[in-house]
Amino acid sequence: MAHGKPVVGFIGLGIMGQPMARNLLKAGFGLVVYTRTRRKANGLLAEGALWADCPAAVARQAPMVITMVPDSPDVEQVVLGPQGIIEGVRPGGVVIDMSTVSPRVERAIAQQLATRGVAYMDAPVSGGSWGAIQGTLAIMVGGEEDAFRRVLPIFEVMGKSITYMGPSGAGQVTKLVNQVLVAVTLSGVAEALVFGAKAGADLLKTIEAVKGGAAGSWQLANLGPRIVKGDFAPGFMITLQLKDLRLILEMAEELALSLPLTALVAQLYRAAVVDGKGECGTQAVVTVLERLAGVEARQGSA
Ligand code: NAP
């Protein structure tokens, strides 16, 4: 317990998890952490977090546990698997999954934990690694509303826009809508820059000229300049975007729904993975379009 605030458990210290956990520590929460690759916790341990050897050990020490791991099987393993949270959590505890995973999987986990008197929230985020560092994430939450009210002070440390969306799974459905918007928009940004490059436009100046108008978007303003500079370092990895597109298309299949733009864009991201760019940032999707057009969208390349 630090400054009277409860101890929070945090599992999964990658690009997003590390800065989110750091903000909790800075806000005075006690912090117990576990992640698959222990060295990724070194920075936080030096700043005062405590290490636990498995998710169950985290849950024994913290009434509220956050998970931030890649995909649905990872959340299932961390929560329900051997030495998982379920083995350590006490009745009255709250488990909050902030990863982007399948709404169906979230509902199933919530049902299992409910039989132990434990609340489970799905609370995926948007805003990228920068938003995680700044504590300005958009957080979309599904689960029991009274549990939401209990954990709101934690969300307020990590995010700026916090929305309770409804019952279990509703947060993930919202996030998948977000991901259709993000993936389709970024592909449009990339295609526009490839066109501009071939047509002889000054790309950075073009972005400045149009970003405040009707074509403006977070993707254009933040990732457009990185594309032009050839900066493909990951904020959000191509493999994770492809995972989200898979989740959307799986759900569309269940709903017997045609999503032609999402399906097309998924193929572009897959081509980038095939080309060895899976661990690049999503802006590297431009390289697929560049190959089709035979031109690079770099400043000075026109
Ligand atoms: P990441 O950098 O790959 O981090 C995931 C972390 O989880 C890694 O440290 C990984 O360990 C750890 N992990 C994986 N399986 C584990 C397990 N079974 N037990 C314990 N730890 C485990 O990914 P990220 O970018 O932080 O993304 C995390 C989630 O947030 C994903 O669902 C993603 O879609 C979502 N998201 C990401 C962004 C973004 O901009 N990056 C934005 C919004 C949402 P290792 O180090 O051993 O791999």
Side-chain angles (χ1 to χ4, degrees), residues 58-69:
V58 172
R60 272 182 217 112
Q61 296 172 65
M64 301 176 196
V65 181
I66 295 171
T67 54
M68 194 56 172
V69 293

Side-chain angles (χ1 to χ4, degrees), residues 12-16 34-37 40 68-70 74 77-78 99-100 125 128-129 175 235-237 240 243-244:
L13 300 174
I15 289 178
M16 297 296 284
Y34 169 78
T35 194
R36 193 169 52 189
T37 307
K40 295 197 179 173
M68 194 56 172
V69 293
D74 305 308
Q77 189 200 342
V78 162
S99 330
T100 304
V125 305
S129 53
K175 170 70 185 185
F236 182 43
M237 281 183 267
L240 289 179
K243 173 262 302 178
D244 293 349

Side-chain angles (χ1 to χ4, degrees), residues 82-279:
Q83 301 191 305
I85 291 171
I86 198 164
E87 292 182 11
V89 69
R90 295 190 192 88
V94 186
V95 181
I96 308 159
D97 180 35
M98 303 190 80
S99 330
T100 304
V101 303
S102 153
R104 194 163 29 81
V105 167
E106 298 288 55
R107 288 184 206 112
I109 296 175
Q111 276 175 9
Q112 284 227 35
L113 288 184
T115 63
R116 312 267 179 126
V118 174
Y120 184 77
M121 324 283 305
D122 49 299
V125 305
S126 177
S129 53
W130 181 245
I133 293 166
Q134 297 296 308
T136 57
L137 293 168
I139 308 177
M140 25 221 130
V141 190
E144 296 292 332
E145 200 165 359
D146 57 339
F148 169 71
R149 278 192 286 271
R150 274 162 60 204
V151 299
L152 188 56
I154 295 180
F155 291 147
E156 284 170 343
V157 170
M158 296 182 284
K160 204 166 66 174
S161 153
I162 301 147
T163 313
Y164 176 72
M165 297 305 302
S168 181
Q172 295 294 355
V173 169
T174 311
K175 170 70 185 185
L176 295 183
V177 171
N178 183 87
Q179 292 310 81
V180 174
L181 289 164
V182 163
V184 173
T185 304
L186 179 56
S187 304
V189 166
E191 186 160 291
L193 292 175
V194 167
F195 167 71
K198 189 79 175 180
D202 177 327
L203 295 179
L204 288 174
K205 208 168 171 185
T206 302
I207 291 171
E208 281 307 309
V210 305
K211 75 179 186 189
S217 66
W218 187 97
Q219 307 294 321
L220 178 67
N222 292 280
L223 299 180
R226 291 196 207 174
I227 288 175
V228 176
K229 291 170 189 161
D231 173 4
F232 298 137
F236 182 43
M237 281 183 267
I238 295 253
T239 48
L240 289 179
Q241 178 67 87
L242 189 56
K243 173 262 302 178
D244 293 349
L245 292 166
R246 191 201 76 226
L247 292 172
I248 294 157
L249 292 170
E250 278 172 7
M251 206 162 170
E253 190 70 30
E254 286 165 24
L255 298 169
L257 187 64
S258 168
L259 294 182
L261 294 183
T262 308
L264 170 62
V265 164
Q267 294 301 315
L268 300 179
Y269 283 97
R270 183 172 301 290
V273 172
V274 170
D275 196 33
K277 299 198 170 63
E279 296 195 355

